[in-house]
Structures are given as structure tokens and as C-alpha cells.
Amino acid sequence: MNGFSGVLGQAFGLILAWDADLVAIIGLSLRVTLSAVVIACLVGLPLGAVVGAFRFPGRVLADLLLNALMGLPPVVVGLLVYLMLSASGPLGPLALLYTPTAMIVAQTILVTPIIAALTRQAIRDLDREYDEQFQSLGVGPVARVAALLWDARFSLLTVALAGFGRAVAEVGAVLIVGGNINHVTRMMTTAIALETSKGNLQLALALGVVLLALALVVNAAVMAVRGLAVRAAHA
Amino acid sequence: MRDFPAFDDPGSVQGAAPILCASGVRFHAGGSALIDGIDLTLAPGRITVVMGANGAGKSLLLRLLHGLILPDSGSVLWRGRPLDRAARAAQAMVFQRPVMLRRSVLANLRFALAVQGVRGAERTRRAVQALSRANLADLAHRPARVLSGGEQQRLALARAMAGAPELLFLDEPTASLDPASTQAIETQIRDARASGVTVVLVTHDLGQARRLGDDLVFLHAGRVAEAGPLHATLARPHSAALRAWVEGRLFLDTSCAT
């Protein structure tokens, strides 16, 4: 226990001292993850809304695909992105492998189906309520999607936060395509894996504490948003 | 099936071209005929009350006439033409349970006007005007879904009227409202009629039918059991179903049903 409490103490020491390495790793993690979540929202929100709001041939297949892609194994995504970006891959000339951009690509691929599938469900539930009124008003398809997205805004904010939670905790894909290069592609999760194996437990634990704190903040934000929605009687 | 092309009523607009014409409309679900060959003609500027027991097909008929549901056979013609986007724009419907967007009262009205292509300052002007007509101006910036049931239904009616429809479908708009809210809704309905809007009103309330209606369509088991000028028809009901209804008896005979 002494060993553990000692390491924990040193870890908090690193956090409180605002250790430069620690800050760089947290900064890169947030930059990569937030970029991936924003791109995933730009793609996943409209995609999920369209699948949720309209009946079209192949909708069941689209539902199935979105649900299946939600469970994409991160290491498989990492491997596929690696193959695309490696020197001999189709996107090799872009020289993106082992860059933050490669990690953003991998995380975007992981998170987009999650955002799209959760959006589809939120939009479909809302559309059931609005459908006849929209038909009666003669709402066109574009206005329909826009109105559903706007009216589901509180649910969709929690969807985005769920995507963020998934991305920030992910390790397999970013490790493969980023390479965990110090000061270049070292993220919180990849650093924890590496530092633990090196026996540098203080930094690993400090990063773990920060990750847990982030998870706490994200969940608190989700609850706050829900509370806000209920208070505003928009839910 | 019987046809009721024009009602024999001195008050009716004889000779005026009908704005909506349904003929031979049938709709099946679950192996049974829910709407079983309905012919109906709506003369402009009148309030047609649709009555009948639960399950008689009143709400379904409204949806078929409004084009929310397509009939299995038969046709619904708007000014002699099939229902299209233009026809939809000229009609509006208020549902039994008002559907409010998760926005403010004013934004709900602005949305309906935006869909109709009303832009900019004109949109706001007409939205505010519709709110004050419905006595909802004080609530303009409240979230629509915190309003009481009566206020929501007045807002739904105001939203329907904001688009200046020629034909208004009302599906039991006062079903769960208190007398004060019911009176406010009935005033809005009278105002609509006074401005030339044709109204189709589904109600269970015989008193409301008498207060508002010009014409009556009484449904039984998916068919028109009886139709005609409201007051004359209620005074001398021919069908057993309507006679029981008017006399306040429970009518459980299903011999008319197929």
C-alpha cells in the first residue's frame, strides 16, 4: 500500500506542478479527440438524422450497418487506417502516418458511427411525435431534418459527449497509426500504456487521474444538459 | 353507398363549387374495413361536424381527407384535382393532442410561417398577429411545451390559422379542455368561419356540434350513417345509431357493420 500511495502522491505532485510533459500529452489528446468529435458530428449528425427521419429502401440495412459499426474494434480500425496511410498504401504519398492527423482520422472513423447511430435513434423518436404535424404543415425534407436536429439539440449534445468519451479513452487505434512518438503523437492513453510498461508509474497514474477526471466532467456535463432540458420543458 | 353531394339547407351555398370531394374512399387495416366506402362533399365556408362513436372512423377520415393517409381505393379531390403540395398548403389540421415544437410559442408560429414561405419581417408580423388574435401574446417567449393543455390547443389552432388556410381540419380540439378553454377554442373556430375558412370538426360534444355546426356527417362502423344540415338532421334522425346518440342512449348494435 505504501508503494501505491507513494506513487499516487507523486502522480498528484506532477499534476499540481503542471508538469510540462503531462500538459503536452493532455493538450495533444484533447486536440486530437475534439477534432475527431467535431468532424464525426459534422458527418454523423446529418447522416443519423436522415436515416432516422426518412423511410427509404435499404433503411433496415442502414440501421444494421450503423449498429454494427458502433462496435468497431479500435485495433482493426487502426490497422485499416495504417494500411491506407502506410508508404505502400493508397494514401501513402500524403505522409500522414505517425502524425496527429492520422490519429484524428482513426478516431473519426471510430466515433462517427456512434454519433450517427445515437442521433438516428434520438431523431426517430422525435420524428414519430412530429411526423403528422410536419406532413400537415407540408414541411420539406431539408427543413424537416434541420427542425428535427434543432429540436433534439439537448439529446444530441449528450450524443456528442458520448462520442467524446469513447474517443478520449481509446488506445488501440491511435497507438497503431500514431506510434506514440514523444512530443508528436503521445496521447494520454498511449502514454499510460507505455509508461506503465516502462515502470514510470507516476506519470501513468497522473494521466490516469486526469482521464478519470475528464470522464467525470463529461458525465457531469451530460447530467447538467439533461437537467437544463427538463427545466426548460424542452425534453 | 349513399352520396350526399349537397345539403338541402337554405343556409347552404347552393351551386358553389365544392372545395373537397371524397368518393368511394376505403381504408383497411388488420383485415377489417375501417373506412368502408365514404362519399363526402365539402361546400366552401361551412362548418361540417363529424360525429360517431369511438372507432367509427372519424379521426381516420380526417387524415384521409387531409392526405396524411392514402386510401386503399376511392379518391379525395381538392378543387377537382388530386391532393398535391398546393392543396396541402391550402389546408391545415389541429390534432387532438397538440404537437408543439421544442421552442418558444412565437418560434412555433414562425416555423409554420417559414414552411409556407413567409420571410423576414412579414413572418414575425404575422406570427405576432396570430398570437394576439388567440390571446397568447403574453406567452410569446415561453417554451410552448410548458403551456397548459388549453393554451397549447389555442396555440395549435393559431398556428394552423397563421398560414391562412382555406380548409381547416379539427380533430376533437376541445376533448380534454375545461369550459373556459373550450369557449376560447370555439371563438377561434367561429372567427375562422367568419373569415371564410371551411371547417371540418370532429367532436363528441353534441352541444358543441349544435353551437358551431352547419352540416353533420354521422359515422358508424366506417360508413356515413347519416348526413345533412346539422340542425335538421339532429331534429329528425333517420338512422338508429344517430337517434340513440341524440337521445343520449348507448347504442351498441353493430348490425350496420360489415
Side-chain angles (χ1 to χ4, degrees):
Chain A
M1 274 315 283
N2 244 351
F4 177 75
S5 54
V7 171
L8 193 64
Q10 288 170 347
F12 274 105
L14 282 177
I15 295 171
L16 293 174
W18 208 234
D19 178 79
D21 277 354
L22 188 77
V23 171
I25 291 169
I26 295 169
L28 180 70
S29 282
L30 290 179
R31 183 160 73 85
V32 168
T33 303
L34 287 174
S35 305
V37 170
V38 167
I39 298 168
C41 283
L42 290 176
V43 179
L45 290 177
L47 179 66
V50 167
V51 176
F54 299 110
R55 289 176 191 85
F56 53 90
R59 189 174 79 153
V60 174
L61 189 66
D63 280 351
L64 183 69
L65 272 177
L66 282 183
N67 287 341
L69 291 175
M70 267 178 96
L72 269 180
V75 284
V76 176
V77 170
L79 176 62
L80 292 176
V81 174
Y82 177 88
L83 290 172
M84 298 293 281
L85 298 181
S86 67
S88 56
L91 301 176
L94 297 176
L96 289 175
L97 199 61
Y98 304 131
T99 65
T101 307
M103 298 194 291
I104 292 172
V105 170
Q107 287 204 341
T108 303
I109 292 172
L110 274 174
V111 174
T112 301
I114 295 171
I115 304 260
L118 295 177
T119 300
R120 172 206 55 195
Q121 205 47 53
I123 294 295
R124 191 166 289 167
D125 292 345
L126 194 59
D127 185 63
R128 281 202 190 101
E129 183 188 330
Y130 285 0
D131 181 43
E132 281 198 322
Q133 184 67 60
F134 278 5
Q135 275 194 63
S136 177
L137 287 170
V139 178
V142 177
R144 184 188 194 98
V145 166
L148 286 168
L149 281 172
W150 176 249
D151 275 30
R153 56 197 177 277
F154 289 107
S155 312
L156 297 181
L157 204 49
T158 64
V159 167
L161 291 173
F164 176 82
R166 159 86 173 191
V168 80
E170 192 281 320
V171 57
V174 289
L175 186 61
I176 293 176
V177 303
N180 197 26
I181 301 165
N182 203 6
H183 298 302
V184 182
T185 57
R186 185 158 298 174
M187 310 246 297
M188 284 192 273
T189 51
T190 57
I192 289 173
L194 177 75
E195 300 301 335
T196 303
S197 66
K198 277 166 51 184
N200 185 5
L201 297 179
Q202 301 90 317
L203 184 57
L205 199 54
L207 289 166
V209 168
V210 172
L211 255 183
L212 283 174
L214 261 177
L216 203 67
V217 167
V218 166
N219 277 290
V222 169
M223 283 175 65
V225 164
R226 284 202 185 127
L228 197 71
V230 170
R231 266 202 304 284
H234 281 117
Chain B
M1 281 305 294
R2 284 172 292 173
D3 193 8
F4 304 94
F7 299 119
D8 182 20
D9 176 9
S12 75
V13 192
Q14 294 293 341
I19 63 168
L20 192 103
C21 221
S23 53
V25 171
R26 285 187 164 77
F27 185 82
H28 296 77
S32 55
L34 302 181
I35 294 290
D36 193 12
I38 283 187
D39 302 291
L40 192 72
T41 303
L42 298 178
R46 295 174 69 80
I47 296 181
T48 301
V49 171
V50 178
M51 299 187 88
N54 293 330
K58 306 179 298 294
S59 295
L60 190 54
L61 176 63
L62 237 57
R63 283 165 170 77
L64 286 160
L65 295 180
H66 190 30
L68 298 181
I69 300 174
L70 292 177
D72 293 329
S73 62
S75 66
V76 177
L77 298 180
W78 168 256
R79 297 196 183 285
R81 300 180 49 211
L83 291 169
D84 57 11
R85 206 175 158 77
R88 176 63 51 67
Q91 302 177 5
M93 180 155 171
V94 173
F95 298 90
Q96 188 174 345
R97 271 194 221 140
V99 180
M100 288 299 140
L101 301 188
R102 286 153 174 76
R103 309 174 187 199
S104 72
V105 168
L106 186 64
N108 265 276
L109 275 164
R110 287 173 48 82
F111 177 79
L113 288 164
V115 168
Q116 299 255 318
V118 183
R119 299 272 169 256
E122 172 72 2
R123 191 192 299 170
T124 304
R125 191 187 66 76
R126 280 177 59 179
V128 169
Q129 187 185 44
L131 279 184
S132 56
R133 268 204 218 113
N135 284 325
L136 291 168
D138 295 346
L139 305 173
H141 299 290
R142 295 269 291 279
R145 291 159 63 88
V146 304
L147 302 190
S148 72
E151 288 165 344
Q152 286 198 27
Q153 199 57 284
R154 271 155 61 203
L155 174 57
L157 193 44
R159 185 174 60 187
M161 286 300 295
E166 296 173 60
L167 174 58
L168 181 61
F169 293 104
L170 304 171
D171 190 2
E172 298 191 50
T174 60
S176 53
L177 304 187
D178 63 16
S181 297
T182 300
Q183 189 181 38
I185 294 281
E186 289 187 4
T187 303
Q188 278 176 290
I189 297 173
R190 280 196 198 88
D191 290 348
R193 186 192 191 279
S195 58
V197 178
T198 307
V199 178
V200 181
L201 168 69
V202 169
T203 182
H204 278 291
D205 180 346
L206 203 53
Q208 181 171 67
R210 287 198 164 103
R211 287 192 294 276
L212 295 174
D214 298 308
D215 300 315
L216 173 71
V217 172
F218 191 81
L219 295 186
H220 183 72
R223 294 180 178 181
V224 177
E226 201 158 343
L230 184 128
H231 292 278
T233 307
L234 287 179
R236 292 180 298 279
H238 296 299
S239 66
L242 181 55
R243 206 175 307 127
W245 189 272
V246 172
E247 292 167 3
R249 286 185 287 112
L250 295 174
F251 182 74
L252 303 172
D253 179 4
T254 54
S255 59
C256 304
T258 48

